[in-house]
């Protein structure tokens, strides 16, 4: 799988995004990371999710004495974010169109003197 | 599947991203969109990819007389982009660290008077 597809595939899971959100607050050990999820899933399931994140370059693992610590690898998200950023114009355009539409509606309504569209001066 | 996972899963495929890239240049019919891909895959395969994009809200299809036209739905990418944007600080930090490191290296090298690190004045 190409790197960009691998990044998006890794992000396509709510548990993996929750693990990243937790790591965005700071480095953590696998045990610390797994703790809030252990009611819903097993430790091997969490470990598997962490491996997907590591393989796709979204996190890095370091071995510090007997502890394994995980941290976010920002670089791994850069290409995905930049790919999506190209499309920003599409939603900003639609917000602009909504803005224009609302302006037209309120202006037409105030011309007709409708009380519910009264503009404050 | 939750909407954000669905968006990321839809983006985790190079053909679907290529279809979106083509649509970012303007609306197109399914035939126009499929044309450059038909050497590598069948029309039903393309149609399936377009269905994934439509289901995840990344494109919309309109029926205009006998033609079906597709266009990018920017709103569908907004949440995914905003989710990733939270992590911008992580790669910008690592770029800052690289910048600091390069400053230290060039400054140490110029102190030692190494010719390859000569600074232009």
């Amino acid at each position: 799988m190409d790197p960009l597809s691998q990044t998006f595939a890794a992000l396509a899971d709510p548990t993996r995004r929750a693990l990243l959100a937790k790591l965005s607050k700071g480095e953590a050990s696998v045990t610390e990371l797994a703790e809030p999820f252990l009611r819903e899933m097993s430790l091997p399931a969490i470990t598997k999710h962490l491996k997907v994140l590591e393989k796709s370059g979204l996190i890095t693992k370091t071995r510090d004495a007997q502890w394994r610590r995980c941290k976010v690898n920002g670089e791994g998200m850069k290409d995905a974010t930049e790919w999506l950023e190209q499309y920003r114009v599409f939603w900003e355009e639609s917000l602009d169109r909504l803005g224009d539409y609302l302006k037209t509606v309120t202006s037409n309504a105030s011309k007709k003197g409708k009380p519910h569209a009264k503009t404050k001066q």
Side-chain angles (χ1 to χ4, degrees), chain A:
Chain A
M1 210 195 277
D2 66 286
L4 204 47
S5 297
Q6 207 166 9
T7 307
F8 283 128
L11 294 172
D13 181 277
T15 308
R16 290 198 289 268
R17 291 196 306 276
L19 289 165
L20 284 169
K22 208 178 169 197
L23 283 174
S24 74
K25 312 252 183 317
E27 291 186 23
S29 69
V30 174
T31 320
E32 285 163 351
L33 275 172
E35 198 270 325
F37 298 96
L38 291 177
R39 277 196 195 166
E40 298 152 49
M41 58 185 88
S42 66
L43 186 60
I46 296 290
T47 310
K48 206 176 161 189
H49 279 310
L50 288 172
K51 269 188 192 149
V52 174
L53 290 173
E54 194 183 8
K55 215 180 155 191
S56 63
L58 292 171
I59 66 165
T60 49
K61 267 191 210 155
T62 47
R63 191 177 270 283
D64 164 27
Q66 75 267 50
W67 298 104
R68 283 195 139 181
R69 301 196 70 77
C70 305
K71 65 173 188 170
V72 167
N73 178 29
E75 282 295 317
M77 288 168 190
K78 203 181 161 195
D79 290 348
T81 313
E82 283 172 356
W83 191 90
L84 277 167
E85 278 293 342
Q86 303 168 16
Y87 295 85
R88 180 175 284 276
V89 61
F90 288 95
W91 75 75
E92 284 180 347
E93 255 176 23
S94 58
L95 280 181
D96 284 351
R97 278 201 301 274
L98 176 66
D100 289 346
Y101 170 75
L102 290 176
K103 260 184 237 165
T104 318
V105 169
T106 50
S107 137
N108 286 348
S110 68
K111 273 181 212 158
K112 287 176 194 162
K114 281 184 186 167
H116 68 269
K118 211 169 183 177
T119 49
K120 282 184 190 169
Q121 302 258 332

